[in-house]
Amino acid sequence: MSSADEPVLLTERSGSVLTLTLNRPHRKNAVTRELWAALRDVFRQVTYGNDVRAVILTGAGGSFCSGADISDAAGVDEFPDPSKEMLAINEAVQQLHDLPVPTLAKVRGVAAGAGLNLALGCDLVVATPDARFCEIFTRRALSLDCGGSWLLPKLVGLQQAKRLAMLAEMIGAEEARSLGLVTWVKPDEAIDGFADELAAGLAAGPPKALAQTKSLLNDGTDRTMREALAGEARAQAINLSGADVIEAFAAFAEKRAPVFTGAWGTGG
C-alpha cells in the first residue's frame, strides 16, 4: 500500500521510454484531482520535450484504475464546481490524446469508468487475462466522460458502445479484445517484458513519421476523403523535411537497421 508521503504518480525512464504508474493502490488507483494534475504536468513535459519517444501508462498494486475517486470531495459543502472540475480533467485527457509519441496502456486488474477511458485514450492496450473493463458511469447515475463518448463508438461501433455504456457491464479481457478495446492479451508473467519490448521498438522508430501517422489516424474517422488526403500531403511534407527519411533510404541501400533521431534535415 502506498503511504501519504508517496507520489500519486510514479515516473520511470528506460532509455527513451517513459513509464507512468498510477500510485494509489489502496484505492485501486482511483483518480483524484491531485492525480489528474500530476498527469497533466507530465503530459505537458512530454509534449514539449524531445527525448521521450514512447509512454507506458499502468497502475500499481495489481489494478489499472477503478475510475474517479468519489471520496475526493470531503463533503457536500466542499463539492467542486462540476464545470470547472471537468475542464481540469478534460485538459489531461486531451493532452494524452494529443501526445506526439506512441502510448501503451498496460492493464492488470480493473479498468473502470475514467480508468477505462484513460486506457482507451492510449494508442495501444495490452492486458492480462484477469483484467476487467467497465464503463461504470450509469451505475453512479452519471454519463460517459474522459473521452468515452468519442472513443467507444470508434473502437467497437455504435451499438456495442451503447451496450457497454448503458448497461455498465463488467467484461473480461478476451471479450474486450474481441470487441476492439484491447490490442493484446498476455499472461501476467509476460506482460511487463512484452510492454517494455514493444515500447522500446516504438521508441526506436522515426518520431516525426510516427507522430504524423498517429495524428492522421486520430483525425481520419471524422474527415472526408478529400480532407484526409490533404492532411496526408501535409504530413509527408513534414516527414520529407527530416533527416530520418535520408537515414531510412541509406539503411535500405546499405542493408542495415536504420537509426532514427527525429532530427531535421534535407529530405528528398
Side-chain angles (χ1 to χ4, degrees):
M1 293 177 62
S2 64
S3 71
D5 296 330
E6 291 183 340
V8 295
L9 182 67
L10 304 178
T11 62
E12 181 181 359
R13 282 289 298 273
S14 176
S16 297
V17 176
L18 174 65
T19 298
L20 304 177
T21 303
L22 310 179
N23 188 40
R24 302 187 70 239
H26 59 293
R27 298 288 296 173
K28 293 186 178 179
N29 302 313
V31 195
T32 61
R33 280 167 279 179
E34 182 185 6
L35 185 46
W36 284 122
L39 286 168
R40 289 197 304 271
D41 289 344
V42 173
F43 292 156
R44 191 176 295 116
Q45 292 169 18
V46 173
T47 298
Y48 295 106
N50 56 13
D51 54 349
V52 172
R53 291 169 60 170
V55 172
I56 298 173
L57 182 63
T58 192
S63 291
F64 183 77
C65 175
S66 59
D69 191 338
I70 58 177
S71 68
D72 196 22
V76 174
D77 292 339
E78 298 182 30
F79 197 81
D81 180 335
S83 60
K84 292 181 180 178
E85 196 79 355
M86 288 310 303
L87 283 174
I89 292 170
N90 288 349
E91 183 181 355
V93 173
Q94 187 69 55
Q95 285 176 339
L96 172 62
H97 178 76
D98 291 341
L99 282 180
V101 302
T103 54
L104 171 66
K106 182 173 66 175
V107 180
R108 287 183 168 95
V110 67
L116 172 53
N117 292 334
L118 270 177
L120 299 184
C122 294
D123 301 316
L124 303 165
V125 180
V126 58
T128 56
D130 67 342
R132 294 165 291 132
F133 303 85
C134 181
E135 291 286 6
I136 200 170
F137 296 96
T138 58
R139 296 193 196 180
R140 307 288 183 259
L142 297 169
S143 53
L144 294 167
D145 62 23
C146 296
S149 64
W150 189 89
L151 291 161
L152 270 184
K154 289 172 174 56
L155 291 169
V156 305
L158 181 58
Q159 190 174 73
Q160 289 295 338
K162 288 178 177 178
R163 167 209 162 190
L164 293 170
M166 291 179 174
L167 298 179
E169 296 174 315
M170 184 75 74
I171 65 172
E174 285 296 345
E175 183 176 2
R177 186 183 63 80
S178 70
L179 287 171
L181 298 176
V182 168
T183 323
W184 302 276
V185 176
K186 295 294 179 181
D188 186 77
E189 65 273 13
I191 191 172
D192 291 332
F194 177 84
D196 291 344
E197 184 176 354
L198 177 63
L202 289 167
K208 287 185 175 59
L210 285 171
Q212 296 301 315
T213 297
K214 174 175 175 174
S215 178
L216 288 167
L217 291 173
N218 281 344
D219 295 342
T221 53
D222 294 324
R223 288 181 173 179
T224 65
M225 173 64 84
R226 187 177 303 279
E227 290 168 335
L229 290 171
E232 290 172 0
R234 287 191 295 270
Q236 291 294 39
I238 293 172
N239 295 327
L240 290 167
S241 298
D244 283 344
V245 168
I246 300 172
E247 168 64 8
F249 277 78
F252 176 79
E254 297 164 15
K255 297 184 171 145
R256 61 174 176 82
V259 178
F260 296 121
T261 64
W264 290 105
T266 303

